[in-house]
Amino acid sequence: MVRPSLTLALLLPLVLLLSPSARSETVADCLDWPPVFERTWGNPGVMVKEAPQDCPKVVFIRPARLVIVKTPDCASKSVSFLLRKYFLGLAWSTYLDERALSEVETRLNMGELIPMSRSTFFKVGHCRLAGRQTGDCVQDAWWNVRTGVSLTESCDHLLAITNLEWDDPDKYSHGHFAFALRKRRGSPSKDTIYDFRAPWYEDRRPRFTEAPNIHNVLKLRGLQENLYDWLYTQTEYRNSHVTMSFTRIHKEQIALLRAYKGNVHDAGNFRVFKKNCASLGTQFLNRLLPLDEEIRGEDSFADLPTRAHKASVDAFGGAVEAVDIKNHTLEAGNDPTSKSELHAAQPSRAASRPYRKLMEVAEIN
């Protein structure tokens, strides 16, 4: 036996189709409907009904894939505005409102890479759903990236998912997660590493009793540094090997990273398992993906840098090339240190060993 609620859902579209005020259009016919919206809500039909002057309204009947627009003005412009307003509100509450964030995102104080309040989102969304640019290239880039619009692959930059491992054969290392934006053939002053760590000011490694951070001394942060100063410090002072897996990146994603330039993200107190470099780094990379996509692993017991490295590379289409820059600390005559402090690349950024090592690899230049 068919239940009454199901019968109503099946009959309602037929009744509306027979109505003289119904339109045989879909939301995608009325709006510049982005892929994330279509994957989330499909492409429902639109029916327009006359309504009193004081109560315009949109009703979304999801089982029937039908949107009813009740408006005193049945002109296309009015219908488009009401549809835009309705679905922007739905998108905000589904993906961007504080209440929609995951527990991990909330603990890491993680928002978008550019300021994105509800009012800004509506301003941008009204323009883009109406088929217009906003006039702000960064906001347009954000919309394209986060709503899954087709992006333009960069010919002159690559993203490098980076894993750092302490050079000690007697101790297993879970690594350290970061990522970099590098121009093909290198830009000594502009190539950037996005590093996620709780700065450490001692020469020694943290003791086992210090790592849990029970006294909340270690504060997790997202930092931006010069790539070659960073690589030089890790491999010439911090006794570490660096693995860089280079993936393709798009111009719109680069625009978001550059708009973030100079900022420091404070994520609160460091925690070993779920509030560490991999936790924060993958959340940053998630902001370069559509709203309904994320790097796998958030539900795991612990965020491990080596595992986050592989999952991130997969999320960005696989590696174009992987490059290992081996530890050179003892050969350089330096005592290994665990200090986070960066050293200026020597004899210069462009003449440093890491820069020259990257320049040897044809696939990334």
Side-chain angles (χ1 to χ4, degrees), residues 78-93:
S78 175
V79 172
S80 172
F81 174 80
L82 290 171
L83 286 172
R84 283 183 269 130
K85 182 179 178 182
Y86 177 80
F87 279 103
L88 288 172
L90 207 54
W92 178 266
S93 63

Side-chain angles (χ1 to χ4, degrees), residues 161-163 177 245 247 282 295-296 304-319:
I161 313 298
T162 302
N163 189 41
F177 185 89
S245 297
T247 72
T282 53
I295 295 167
R296 291 177 288 107
L304 301 179
T306 49
R307 188 165 59 198
H309 178 253
K310 181 182 184 306
S312 298
V313 171
D314 291 343
F316 282 82

Side-chain angles (χ1 to χ4, degrees), residues 51-56 71-73:
Q53 187 71 31
D54 60 345
C55 61
T71 174
D73 180 4

Side-chain angles (χ1 to χ4, degrees), residues 36-214:
V36 167
F37 284 31
E38 181 159 1
R39 291 196 293 266
T40 305
W41 300 295
N43 182 22
V46 176
M47 301 298 167
V48 180
K49 307 289 291 182
E50 290 187 7
Q53 187 71 31
D54 60 345
C55 61
K57 187 177 181 182
V58 175
V59 178
F60 185 13
I61 306 174
R62 300 196 188 198
R65 288 189 175 272
L66 180 68
V67 179
I68 305 169
V69 181
K70 299 179 181 180
T71 174
D73 180 4
C74 294
S76 295
K77 184 176 181 180
S78 175
V79 172
S80 172
F81 174 80
L82 290 171
L83 286 172
R84 283 183 269 130
K85 182 179 178 182
Y86 177 80
F87 279 103
L88 288 172
L90 207 54
W92 178 266
S93 63
T94 301
Y95 292 114
L96 294 165
D97 188 88
E98 288 184 3
R99 291 168 292 186
L101 299 180
S102 69
E103 181 182 353
V104 171
E105 290 171 316
T106 301
R107 292 181 68 204
L108 292 168
N109 301 326
M110 198 69 216
E112 295 298 305
L113 295 184
I114 65 171
M116 189 53 59
S117 64
R118 190 176 191 276
S119 61
T120 300
F121 175 69
F122 270 69
K123 178 175 71 71
V124 173
H126 272 293
C127 287
R128 297 307 305 272
L129 289 179
R132 304 190 306 271
Q133 301 291 304
T134 66
D136 184 315
C137 61
V138 175
Q139 290 182 349
D140 284 328
W142 180 90
W143 178 267
N144 290 350
V145 169
R146 298 297 269 155
T147 67
V149 175
S150 295
L151 305 178
T152 304
E153 186 177 322
S154 173
C155 297
D156 53 8
H157 283 82
L158 291 170
L159 183 71
I161 313 298
T162 302
N163 189 41
L164 183 73
E165 293 192 19
W166 182 264
D167 185 5
D168 187 341
D170 295 329
K171 295 182 179 179
Y172 179 78
S173 173
H174 289 291
H176 173 76
F177 185 89
F179 66 84
L181 180 64
R182 180 183 180 270
K183 187 175 182 180
R184 289 182 183 270
R185 299 199 59 78
S187 176
S189 63
K190 295 183 179 179
D191 290 343
T192 303
I193 187 89
Y194 297 80
D195 194 19
F196 310 95
R197 65 170 66 245
W200 181 254
Y201 304 104
E202 305 289 339
D203 280 323
R204 61 175 176 80
R205 298 181 74 180
R207 299 186 185 95
F208 179 78
T209 55
E210 293 171 307
N213 196 29
I214 59 175

